[in-house]
Amino acid sequence: MAPASPPDAGALLRHPKLWLVPTVLSALVTLVLSLLYMGGILNPGADLDRLPIALVDEDRGGLGKEITAALTSEGPGGVQWHRIGAAEAQDRLASGKVYGALLVPRDFSASVAALGTPRATARPTLTVLTNPGVGSLGSSLAAQINQAAAHRASVTLGKRLAPAATDPTARVLLADPVAVQTRVGHPIGRRSGLGLSAFYYTLLLVLSGFIGGNLIHTGVDTALGYTDSEIGPWHTRNRTVPIDRTQTLVLKMVMTAGIALLTTSLLMLATVGILDMDAGHLPLLWVFSYCAVVAVGLGVQAINAAFGGVGQLVSMFVFIALALPSSGATIPLQATPAFYRFLGAFEPMRQLTEGVRAILYFDARADAGLTRAWVMIAIGFVAALLFGFGMTRYYDRRGLARLTPQPEPAA
C-alpha cells in the first residue's frame, strides 16, 4: 500500500481551524492598538484636565490682581492655575511641576496708565515662560494657553481704555494695548531633541529590557531542549535538560540581570558617547538605566513563565502597547482622556520617563519625579519576583512539568 502523500498548502488552507486563532488574535491586536494609540492624541485641548501653569503677579498696582483674578475665575477649563511668586514659579519650572508660567511685571499698571500720554515709552508687556523640559508639545500647549489668556486680558483692558481716547491712532493702540513676550523659563541643552530625548531614551530602556528578556527566554528554552532552533533551512534540537519551572526562571532572571550590564553600557555609549546627547549626572543615569532595564526584563520573564506561549503578547501589551500612550512623554497626561491618566499611575514607561527627565533636564532633583521613579522601579522588581516565582512554584507543586519528547539519537 503506497504511503499517503503529505498535504499541500492549498489543502491546509481550506481548514477553518487553521485560520481561526491567528485571524482572531491579529484582528483584536490591531483593533486594540489602533484605539489605544490614536485615542490619546486626537484632541488634547478638549481633554485638558488640571494642566498645571504658574501665574505670577509682580505688579505694584492693581491691574495685575484684576488680570490674575479674571484668569483663575474665567480662564479656560482644564487649566490648574498656581498663583505663586516669581521665585517659586522658577523653582517649579526647574522641577517640571508646571508646564509654563504667565508673568505680570512690576511696572504693568504704570505702563498702562502712561498709555496715550507723553510718558508712554513702551507698551505694557505680559511674559509667557515656556518649559521645554516637560516635552515640546506640553510646553507648546501651555504657551498657547498663556498667550491666549494674555490676549484676552489685553482685549478686556482695551475695552476699558479705548473709549476714553480722543485721538484715532491712540484708540487703535488702546484697543489691544498689551504686548506678549515669550521666552524660555527653564532652558535645556541644544542636543535634547526639543525635550524629546528623555522619551526616546526611556523607550530604549523599555525596549532593551523587553527585547532582551524575550531573547533570553527563547535562548534558554532552546539551549535546554524545550524549544527547537530553526535558522533558515537548519534545524536543531538539544536534548532536554530535566529542570523544573522555578529553577528555569532563576536561570533566566540571573541572565537578565547579567546581560543588562552590557546592554545598558552600550545604550549609554551610543546615545551619550557617540551621538553626544546632552546628559549630566552620568553615573546616576547609568545606575538608573540599569535598574530600569532589569526591572522590565524581570517582568518579561515573570509574565512568560506564567502565561507560556502567549506571554510575549501579554508582556507586549504591559510594557509597550499600554505604556506608550500613557507615558505622558509626548502629550501631557493632563491632555489625554481619563483612561490614560489611570494607566499612567502605574504603567512603567510613565514612571521611567519622569526619572529620566529629572536626570537629564532637572538636575536630578528628587521632587522632579526621580523619587517616584525609584519607588516604582522597586515595586516593579518585587512584583516581578513575587508573581513569577509564585506562578512557577504553583505549577511545580501541581506537577505541571515542561515535558517534551526527547530528540532521536544520532545514527
Side-chain angles (χ1 to χ4, degrees), residues 36-358:
L36 281 174
Y37 286 133
M38 301 305 293
I41 67 169
L42 293 180
N43 196 358
D47 294 317
L48 275 182
D49 180 55
R50 294 179 295 175
L51 185 75
I53 299 177
L55 189 56
V56 180
D57 175 22
E58 292 190 308
D59 184 28
R60 294 173 179 172
L63 283 177
K65 292 182 180 179
E66 289 185 25
I67 290 175
T68 54
L71 286 177
T72 54
S73 61
E74 303 171 7
V79 176
Q80 187 176 42
W81 298 102
H82 295 258
R83 298 181 66 176
I84 53 181
E88 186 176 354
Q90 193 60 52
D91 182 74
R92 295 194 186 188
L93 287 168
S95 61
K97 293 180 180 177
V98 294
Y99 282 77
L102 181 60
L103 173 64
V104 183
R106 294 184 179 183
D107 61 348
F108 184 76
S109 290
S111 298
V112 172
L115 286 175
T117 71
R119 295 182 291 108
T121 58
R123 294 174 67 190
T125 301
L126 294 176
T127 301
V128 173
L129 300 179
T130 63
N131 193 5
V134 298
S136 56
L137 193 146
S139 179
S140 175
L141 183 61
Q144 292 174 20
I145 291 172
N146 281 332
Q147 289 164 354
H151 178 68
R152 285 196 304 273
S154 178
V155 171
T156 301
L157 188 60
K159 289 179 180 178
R160 182 194 305 178
L161 299 175
T166 56
D167 182 70
T169 303
R171 190 178 293 115
V172 172
L173 173 63
L174 293 176
D176 188 7
V178 179
V180 180
Q181 169 185 291
T182 302
R183 59 184 175 87
V184 177
H186 178 72
I188 58 176
R190 292 183 177 180
R191 299 188 64 82
S192 298
L194 300 176
L196 288 175
S197 60
F199 164 64
Y200 283 102
Y201 187 87
T202 303
L203 180 60
L204 288 172
L205 294 179
V206 174
L207 288 176
S208 179
F210 174 77
I211 296 174
N214 280 310
L215 289 175
I216 293 169
H217 169 76
T218 302
V220 169
D221 282 352
T222 299
L224 298 181
Y226 292 93
T227 301
D228 291 3
S229 175
E230 191 170 4
I231 302 176
W234 297 281
H235 170 269
T236 59
R237 186 175 187 189
N238 297 324
R239 180 171 291 276
T240 304
V241 176
I243 183 173
D244 63 28
R245 294 175 182 270
T246 301
Q247 290 302 309
T248 302
L249 183 58
V250 170
L251 177 61
K252 292 176 179 178
M253 286 190 166
V254 171
M255 290 182 64
T256 297
I259 294 175
L261 293 168
L262 174 63
T263 55
T264 301
S265 300
L266 291 176
L267 192 156
M268 282 194 62
L269 173 64
T271 57
V272 180
I274 298 176
L275 299 177
D276 195 26
M277 179 183 74
D278 283 324
H281 307 279
L282 294 183
L284 174 61
L285 181 61
W286 186 91
V287 173
F288 182 88
S289 301
Y290 172 73
C291 293
V293 171
V294 171
V296 173
L298 296 186
V300 168
Q301 302 299 0
I303 291 173
N304 286 340
F307 292 96
V310 298
Q312 294 187 22
L313 183 61
V314 174
S315 62
M316 186 271 289
F317 269 92
V318 172
F319 294 107
I320 306 296
L322 294 175
L324 274 172
S326 63
S327 67
T330 53
I331 296 179
L333 281 181
Q334 295 88 345
T336 59
F339 173 68
Y340 298 89
R341 296 194 291 272
F342 165 74
L343 291 177
F346 56 86
E347 271 292 333
M349 192 172 291
R350 169 62 174 171
Q351 328 310 324
L352 298 182
T353 297
E354 289 195 349
V356 172
R357 273 181 177 168

